[in-house]
Amino acid sequence: MRIPLSWLREYAQVPADATAEDVMAELVKVGLEEEDVHRPSDELSGPIVVGQVLSMEPEPQKNGKTINWCSVRVVPEGAEQTLTGDGIDPSGVQGIVCGAHNFAVGDKVVVTLPGAVLPGDFRISPRKTYGHVSAGMIASVRELGIGDDHDGILVLSRLGLDPEVGTDAMDLLGLHDEAAEINVTPDRGYVFSIRGAAREYAHATGTKFTDPAAAVVVPQADGNGYGVRLEDQAPIYGKAGCDRFVARTVRGVDPTRPTPPWMSSRLRLAGMRSISLVVDISNYVMLELGQPLHFYDLDKLSGDIVVRRAAAGETLKTLDEKVRTLDPEDLLITDDSGAIGIAGVMGGAATEVSDATQNVLIEAAHFEEVSIGRSRRRHRLPSEASKRFERGVDWNIADVAAQRAVDLLTELAGGTADASVTDVGTKPEAKAIDLPADFASKLIGYDFSEDQITGTLTDLGATVEKTAAGYSVTPPSWRPDLETREDLTEEIIRLVGYENIPSTLPTAPPGRGLTRIQQQRRRLQQALAAAGLTEVLSYPFVTEEDNNTFGTPDAGAPLRAVKLANPLSAEFGFLRTSVLPGLFEVAKRNLSRGFRDLALFESGSVFLPGEQLGTSSIPPLGVRPSEEVLDALYEGVPDQPLHIGVLFTGHESQPGAGFTPRAWDWADAVDTARLMGDVLGVELVVSQGEHQAFHPGRTAKLSLRSGETVGYAGELHPKLLAARDMPARTVALELDADALFEAAPEVIVARNISSFPATTQDVALVVEASIPAETVLETLREGAGELLEDISLFDVYSGKGIEEGHKSLAFALRFRAPDRTLTADEASESRAAAVALATERFGAVQR
């Protein structure tokens, strides 16, 4: 929002010497953000004066162009020229060459004298051209930087001006004014007006605010004005799209009258282009009061105005000359001919005000925010009006804005207002908010006095009544964002001043900190990072194919997934059921940039919907849903367990002189899974597994001792890697971290370090090739008994000396007694018991 300072001073006590920077510094105190300063005088400097053309002699040139050699008086007749410098004629009459022809002898024009600087650092100096010394320039509006018109000279009489010769043209045209531009947050839509900005300036400085609305005298509606009906048959969320519509009629306007310079100057500084007097008045009132208006050519209307929803397939040609197909959710302004505007967004071309318009119907309506916002986005039609309606417009200002427009049309355009007034709609019920006396102090941690609470809320425009428990506060009509006691507290501290609230660090209560789950998650992430892996983050949006490939072990198995209603990309239209697709994309991006050796991990939620997904209806706004409704909502939210994925590709280290690095393989994925289990104190059971995304023979299933499968690790399927342009032998791992957290003990107890020596014995068993090594290992563990401290597989062999269809598994067994030194016989006895059980179950033969 750009705020011209001359306009702001009409309603707020801004010091005469205050700059735009000063104004922004004050507005920052009440939560507004400074953006920029707009000051025409930064690019424009004098001497720039009013001159009168005394003579103009046309002189044809050899190039076919005709120039005018002009004599222009720049000081009052009989007065002395007080300016000095190169090119300034002491007589007060300047000789100027001009190529324009839209002016005549006697016209008063704007003259830029030698020494002046125009936008673009264009410096005026006397120069010889077309056989004359031209000492100055007769300016157009474009050359002055106040408009786009470059068709000819700015003739002041066409603006309704007849100033004295020699008058400072920059003062005359408002070019010494400046504007402060601020960023308005979505909840502060009322500041999209000089009225709102002046109110905030008064809050910030503690000075007086004069409400421009209070100066407007509004006649009572008599029901005899232009016919208007509100017929919204499909309100959104139960709220009517239009709940107030004020219509006023002004006849006999003169559309040829110029816009006064003070108005066009303010509009220009506010960031709006001056178009015509009638249109400029509409924009001026909107900027002043914050109420968007729309003007219709009354003679182009047919029948009553009806505000309704669009019919399916209905079309409208808008002011930008585009024919738009309307949606049944669009709120329309219509008459007997059909749609004549999209409410609050853009009017229709059929009833547009033009240079021939003589009779004007003024619309000042209050539209519901959601309707306007959806139509604006649907038709991609951002406008100054929709920007304000989306953020909330004061319900009570519509009749005031309409009357302000009537007054300006009668004063500046020569119109005559009809006595009848149309004002239809139902005033919304004011909702009081209960504010306990100590609520703000407890919430902020600062002891607000009663005067601070009541004073700030009253200054805000709210009605404050004392109650037994505190206060009953009714927010002003221009603050629809104030709905809760927390909102009121925010306003109290905002107006008291954040800088006045002391900064005090609270004392942390004992026994608090990270939750058990947070601690476990952090330990996992730190352990993986310490092991040399790099943590990455990826989008949770994946393709349907990704979910079907990684989300279930069995190809073709049914899989429920959450489909996005409005995805960023149609291709990535589902929420992930596995974190591996995101790791794939990150790895591919890095590989394409020359990074060949990668060890990545990601921890993030996956989305696993149950039988119910969402609810059939959305609870209404403004009312807290019941417990039953909340339970139904939570039941429709998909389960979102935390998964951790790991991906290795390339080599574990960089090559060096005389050193060939080892390529990552499936064992690294399994070892990383075991590391994660060790960090949490959870024992993972590793067994042969099958998963459609992994290699058929190099996949490990990861389970808990209870038998619950918590993930898979191993080499990814060669066909999958080839299809996705990934290096062969890429390995991966995915674990359900939530399942690990649940299985982890509350306290991880470290094993006692025995002071007695261990005895190690090896055993090699020949078994059928189909028997998993992990199954044999667990059998040996069971058979060896309590003396077995640890067992590990260190060799697998098949080939010469081993019967076809069989394999040799070599295990290292470590025995230790907690209370004595074991003898060799005791260790051998335990080893023999282990072998015997393996022989009994699998027919194992010791090598």
Side-chain angles (χ1 to χ4, degrees):
M1 173 69 188
R2 296 186 184 183
I3 308 167
L5 265 57
S6 65
W7 206 349
L8 182 66
R9 287 189 173 98
E10 291 187 8
Y11 309 117
Q13 295 180 334
V14 182
D17 59 349
T19 64
E21 289 86 352
D22 297 330
V23 170
M24 289 192 296
E26 296 293 346
L27 293 176
V28 165
K29 295 178 182 177
V30 288
L32 298 169
E33 300 175 5
E34 58 185 4
E35 285 288 331
D36 202 356
V37 170
H38 301 273
R39 188 180 289 118
S41 58
D42 286 345
E43 293 189 324
L44 191 69
S45 62
I48 303 175
V49 300
V50 173
Q52 186 171 31
V53 179
L54 301 180
S55 67
M56 51 185 300
E57 301 174 10
E59 295 182 358
Q61 303 299 311
K62 294 180 180 179
N63 59 7
K65 182 179 179 181
T66 298
I67 60 97
N68 292 305
W69 170 240
C70 305
S71 295
V72 185
R73 180 177 296 281
V74 294
V75 296
E77 188 172 0
E80 293 184 2
Q81 173 61 275
T82 59
L83 298 175
T84 60
D86 184 23
I88 301 293
D89 195 312
S91 69
V93 177
Q94 299 289 126
I96 300 174
V97 172
C98 183
H101 304 280
N102 67 321
F103 63 102
V105 172
D107 282 344
K108 291 183 178 180
V109 294
V110 175
V111 180
T112 59
L113 295 173
V117 180
L118 300 184
D121 198 28
F122 182 72
R123 299 179 180 272
I124 304 300
S125 60
R127 62 192 182 94
K128 187 171 183 179
T129 179
Y130 296 108
H132 301 279
V133 176
S134 181
M137 185 174 74
I138 306 174
S140 69
V141 294
R142 185 174 178 183
E143 288 162 341
L144 293 171
I146 61 175
D148 296 326
D149 183 11
H150 196 52
D151 293 336
I153 296 303
L154 171 59
V155 179
L156 295 175
S157 62
R158 294 170 191 163
L159 298 181
L161 299 175
D162 186 20
E164 183 181 13
V165 173
T167 300
D168 186 337
M170 290 184 66
D171 277 338
L172 181 70
L173 299 175
L175 297 176
H176 286 303
D177 200 359
E178 56 187 296
E181 184 175 359
I182 58 174
N183 181 36
V184 179
T185 54
D187 60 331
R188 309 274 290 281
Y190 65 96
V191 188
F192 275 118
S193 65
I194 301 299
R195 181 194 189 205
R199 190 188 303 275
E200 289 300 305
Y201 184 85
H203 291 330
T205 58
T207 55
K208 182 182 177 182
F209 163 67
T210 303
D211 191 348
V216 180
V217 180
V218 180
Q220 293 292 322
D222 54 12
N224 297 322
Y226 199 94
V228 175
R229 302 196 305 275
L230 309 181
E231 298 181 355
D232 185 358
Q233 302 299 326
I236 298 175
Y237 297 142
K239 295 182 69 174
C242 177
D243 56 9
R244 189 180 192 188
F245 197 110
V246 175
R248 300 292 302 276
T249 301
V250 179
R251 302 179 189 274
V253 300
D254 182 357
T256 64
R257 288 194 182 185
T259 299
W262 59 266
M263 179 179 284
S264 60
S265 171
R266 288 179 173 180
L267 289 174
R268 181 178 66 254
L269 269 177
M272 303 193 78
R273 183 170 57 93
S274 178
I275 299 173
S276 67
L277 177 59
V278 175
V279 175
D280 289 350
I281 288 173
S282 171
N283 289 331
Y284 188 85
V285 174
M286 176 185 68
L287 290 172
E288 183 174 72
L289 298 176
Q291 168 69 57
L293 302 177
H294 188 73
F295 288 180
Y296 300 93
D297 188 324
L298 181 65
D299 298 323
K300 296 177 182 178
L301 293 173
S302 57
D304 290 351
I305 285 179
V306 179
V307 184
R308 60 169 174 81
R309 299 287 173 181
E314 195 169 1
T315 61
L316 169 67
K317 180 189 250 188
T318 47
L319 291 174
D320 56 3
E321 297 297 322
K322 292 183 179 180
V323 177
R324 302 182 184 274
T325 300
L326 304 172
D327 186 274
E329 207 177 59
D330 287 330
L331 188 69
L332 302 182
I333 310 298
T334 68
D335 64 3
D336 290 349
S337 67
I340 57 175
I342 303 174
V345 178
M346 184 173 283
T351 56
E352 179 182 8
V353 171
S354 68
D355 292 341
T357 297
Q358 294 184 341
N359 303 314
V360 175
L361 180 72
I362 302 169
E363 168 203 301
H366 185 265
F367 299 115
E368 192 267 329
E369 296 88 343
V370 175
S371 286
I372 304 307
R374 290 186 178 181
S375 290
R376 190 266 301 169
R377 288 188 291 272
R378 183 179 300 114
H379 297 289
R380 295 179 176 85
L381 274 176
S383 65
E384 291 293 328
S386 64
K387 179 166 63 177
R388 288 162 173 79
F389 281 126
E390 283 185 73
R391 290 161 173 78
V393 171
D394 185 358
W395 192 93
N396 287 326
I397 203 70
D399 54 345
V400 176
Q403 181 61 44
R404 177 71 165 135
V406 167
D407 293 342
L408 289 172
L409 284 171
T410 54
E411 176 188 352
L412 302 178
T416 303
D418 283 5
S420 56
V421 177
T422 299
D423 191 346
V424 297
T426 304
K427 185 172 184 177
E429 182 180 353
K431 295 182 180 179
I433 302 170
D434 290 328
L435 180 65
D438 60 350
F439 181 82
S441 297
K442 287 183 176 179
L443 185 64
I444 302 302
Y446 176 79
D447 189 16
F448 293 104
S449 67
E450 181 176 340
D451 287 343
Q452 285 177 317
I453 294 174
T454 58
T456 54
L457 294 177
T458 302
D459 287 346
L460 196 71
T463 302
V464 183
E465 296 180 3
K466 195 80 169 64
T467 65
Y471 313 94
S472 176
V473 183
T474 304
S477 56
W478 57 85
R479 293 301 302 271
D481 58 304
L482 301 182
E483 298 179 335
T484 66
R485 58 186 64 174
E486 288 82 6
D487 296 334
L488 297 179
T489 300
E490 182 181 358
E491 292 301 303
I492 292 169
I493 187 175
R494 184 174 71 87
L495 298 187
V496 167
Y498 295 107
E499 70 280 4
N500 296 321
I501 307 300
S503 176
T504 305
L505 289 176
T507 301
R512 300 290 179 89
L514 297 177
T515 65
R516 175 171 175 265
I517 298 298
Q518 289 171 334
Q519 291 172 346
Q520 291 172 322
R521 179 173 181 172
R522 183 168 294 185
R523 283 203 299 270
L524 277 183
Q525 292 170 329
Q526 290 175 340
L528 291 172
L533 284 81
T534 300
E535 184 175 13
V536 298
L537 292 175
S538 63
Y539 287 114
F541 313 122
V542 299
T543 65
E544 185 175 17
E545 180 187 2
D546 284 337
N547 274 341
N548 291 335
T549 301
F550 294 97
T552 177
D554 304 320
L559 176 69
R560 289 177 58 83
V562 179
K563 185 176 183 181
L564 299 171
N566 188 23
L568 295 175
S569 166
E571 181 183 3
F572 299 96
F574 290 82
L575 289 177
R576 66 188 178 190
T577 57
S578 165
V579 295
L580 291 181
L583 282 172
F584 254 82
E585 292 302 318
V586 173
K588 285 179 64 176
R589 190 177 305 114
N590 279 274
L591 287 166
S592 69
R593 287 159 173 75
F595 298 97
R596 301 296 178 187
D597 303 315
L598 302 173
L600 310 175
F601 80 93
E602 177 178 8
S603 61
S605 297
V606 298
F607 304 86
L608 309 176
E611 292 301 320
Q612 177 184 339
L613 182 60
T615 56
S616 58
S617 62
I618 299 176
L621 300 176
V623 180
R624 187 183 189 279
S626 65
E627 294 300 325
E628 293 77 11
V629 172
L630 288 175
D631 289 343
L633 288 172
Y634 287 129
E635 288 176 4
V637 175
D639 187 24
Q640 300 172 42
L642 178 73
H643 278 207
I644 294 185
V646 174
L647 186 142
F648 298 100
T649 187
H651 300 82
E652 64 174 353
S653 61
Q654 294 294 321
F659 168 71
T660 302
R662 184 182 65 86
W664 298 112
D665 61 22
W666 63 268
D668 294 295
V670 174
D671 287 344
T672 303
R674 287 196 171 112
L675 169 65
M676 295 166 64
D678 291 343
V679 167
L680 299 176
V682 176
E683 183 182 1
L684 286 177
V685 178
V686 180
S687 60
Q688 182 68 42
E690 292 183 1
H691 192 293
Q692 60 175 323
F694 287 81
H695 192 290
R698 299 170 187 162
T699 303
K701 182 172 71 172
L702 307 171
S703 308
L704 302 176
R705 278 291 172 190
S706 63
E708 178 186 355
T709 301
V710 293
Y712 291 87
E715 186 178 315
L716 291 167
H717 202 292
K719 290 184 178 179
L720 175 67
L721 295 174
R724 301 193 178 215
D725 296 324
M726 289 288 287
R729 299 298 177 89
T730 296
V731 295
L733 148 71
E734 182 167 11
L735 278 174
D736 183 344
D738 279 356
L740 295 182
F741 297 155
E742 187 175 348
E746 289 288 340
V747 178
I748 301 176
V749 179
R751 295 177 182 177
N752 290 327
I753 299 177
S754 176
S755 60
F756 297 99
T759 298
T760 301
Q761 295 191 13
D762 297 341
V763 63
L765 301 177
V766 177
V767 297
E768 292 182 4
S770 60
I771 300 174
E774 182 72 15
T775 304
V776 179
L777 184 146
E778 291 299 323
T779 301
L780 292 174
R781 186 194 303 275
E782 180 184 348
E786 295 181 355
L787 294 179
L788 180 67
E789 183 180 74
D790 186 56
I791 180 172
S792 61
L793 175 71
F794 67 85
D795 184 53
V796 179
Y797 172 73
S798 60
K800 186 176 180 181
I802 302 298
E803 183 181 353
E804 187 176 352
H806 289 68
K807 62 184 176 182
S808 171
L809 304 175
F811 299 92
L813 293 79
R814 186 171 70 231
F815 299 96
R816 193 194 308 263
D819 56 351
R820 66 189 189 282
T821 299
L822 281 180
T823 65
D825 290 341
E826 287 178 308
S828 297
E829 185 179 341
S830 293
R831 173 179 173 278
V835 173
L837 186 59
T839 301
E840 177 185 339
R841 291 185 178 176
F842 311 117
V845 178
Q846 188 172 349
R847 288 181 66 186

